[in-house]
Amino acid sequence: DTGVSQDPRHKITKRGQNVTFRCDPISEHNRLYWYRQTLGQGPEFLTYFQNEAQLEKSRLLSDRFSAERPKGSFSTLEIQRTEQGDSAMYLCAGGQVTTEAFFGQGTRLTVV
Amino acid sequence: GNSVTQMEGPVTLSEEAFLTINCTYTATGYPSLFWYVQYPGEGLQLLLKATKADDKGSNKGFEATYRKETTSFHLEKGSVQVSDSAVYFCALSDPGGGADGLTFGKGTHLIIQP
């Protein structure tokens, strides 16, 4: 158990709807990362936070994707106007500056 | 940009066989290198890491050596068990250090038969 929890574990949505995923790292994780993983591929980095500051967001896939970490604890990833190509596993990871990333079990999104 | 190439699976071995999963990378500077493992139904877990050339990471009988001259970080285990069946990912971090924006390979599915 890495201590990183994600909710929901599975989400099925209709094309065009907005979805939001939540990630709760442990309190020691001042860094928080979001990745996307499609079938047969390794995780693809999207964005990360140090405390509440979003330090890298140029790798978000489009302007339909946004992430927040308002109090430096939990984080949310929102996808607006979902498309079928957004179907994937969305992974969150927590860590500290000097440690490796600890991954949650992910949220599997299916857009129908 | 950074990239990681690892051997494609599935790799099927018998219990107690010797395992090698090849991983090579392209990066500017000197990245840290990682192997992550994903067991069925579970999240990614760090298996081992190496932060500089010639370092050897080891854990649970697995080993990998950071080879700068060949830009490789091959994963090895002398005697695999059925419980080692999983997907293994090689990854590197930006040379700035830490775990910012890890770049992963596509993963290698390992199947160990009794």
Side-chain angles (χ1 to χ4, degrees), chain A residues 36-47:
Chain A
R36 183 180 78 158
Q37 186 177 16
T38 54
L39 197 62
Q41 302 295 316
E44 175 186 12
F45 171 71
L46 297 178
T47 187

Side-chain angles (χ1 to χ4, degrees), chain A residues 6 21 23 32-38 42-48 59-61 65 77 79 88-94 100-104 106-107, chain B residues 34 36 44 91-94 98-104:
Chain A
Q6 293 188 243
F21 310 138
C23 172
L32 186 146
Y33 309 83
W34 285 100
Y35 291 80
R36 183 180 78 158
Q37 186 177 16
T38 54
E44 175 186 12
F45 171 71
L46 297 178
T47 187
Y48 90 98
R59 309 266 286 275
L60 286 167
L61 300 164
F65 287 71
L77 177 71
I79 308 173
M89 179 75 84
Y90 291 86
L91 301 171
C92 172
E100 67 274 11
F102 297 90
F103 283 83
T107 295
Chain B
F34 306 83
Y36 278 83
L44 283 164
L92 65 83
S93 67
D94 283 338
D100 309 66
L102 291 170
T103 299
F104 285 85

Side-chain angles (χ1 to χ4, degrees), chain B residues 12-57:
Chain B
T12 303
L13 296 173
S14 298
E15 206 166 20
E16 300 184 2
F18 184 87
L19 168 71
T20 300
I21 300 178
N22 290 336
C23 171
T24 57
Y25 67 90
T26 301
T28 53
Y30 303 99
S32 294
L33 301 174
F34 306 83
W35 277 100
Y36 278 83
V37 59
Q38 188 168 32
Y39 298 103
E42 299 185 15
L44 283 164
Q45 301 173 27
L46 178 68
L47 181 59
L48 53 84
K49 67 178 181 181
T51 58
K52 61 182 187 296
D54 300 325
D55 268 2
K56 178 185 284 188

Side-chain angles (χ1 to χ4, degrees), chain A residues 95-111:
Chain A
Q96 298 175 343
V97 174
T98 56
T99 68
E100 67 274 11
F102 297 90
F103 283 83
Q105 291 186 291
T107 295
R108 182 170 296 283
L109 172 66
T110 302
V111 181

